[in-house]
Amino acid sequence: MKGTTMKITVDPARCQGYANCVAAAPDAFDIDDVTGKAVLLRTEGDPGEIREAARSCPVAAISVEG
């Protein structure tokens, strides 16, 4: 359901900038132009997309609670 608030964290030490999260949930994630790492844009959104973004991360840099 849209608008659900979850605790989402991105571990910048693990992130390698593959951008799978951006492909899965473009409203919630982006890649920082300077660091090349994923950044969280917001904690509200489609929970299915956000969970898929976390699952699709090949280095498990994203965690989702809630």
Side-chain angles (χ1 to χ4, degrees):
M1 96 199 244
K2 292 209 180 254
T4 301
T5 301
M6 297 172 278
K7 181 178 179 189
I8 307 161
T9 56
V10 178
D11 182 347
R14 292 187 105 164
C15 180
Q16 298 296 306
Y18 292 109
N20 294 14
C21 57
V22 177
D27 291 335
F29 298 95
D30 199 2
I31 298 296
D32 184 274
D33 292 335
V34 175
T35 66
K37 309 280 182 162
V39 291
L40 184 61
L41 300 175
R42 64 170 131 192
T43 59
E44 294 180 1
D46 183 321
E49 285 184 1
I50 292 171
R51 284 188 175 82
E52 178 57 31
R55 280 191 297 271
S56 71
C57 181
V59 295
I62 301 169
S63 64
V64 179
E65 295 176 34

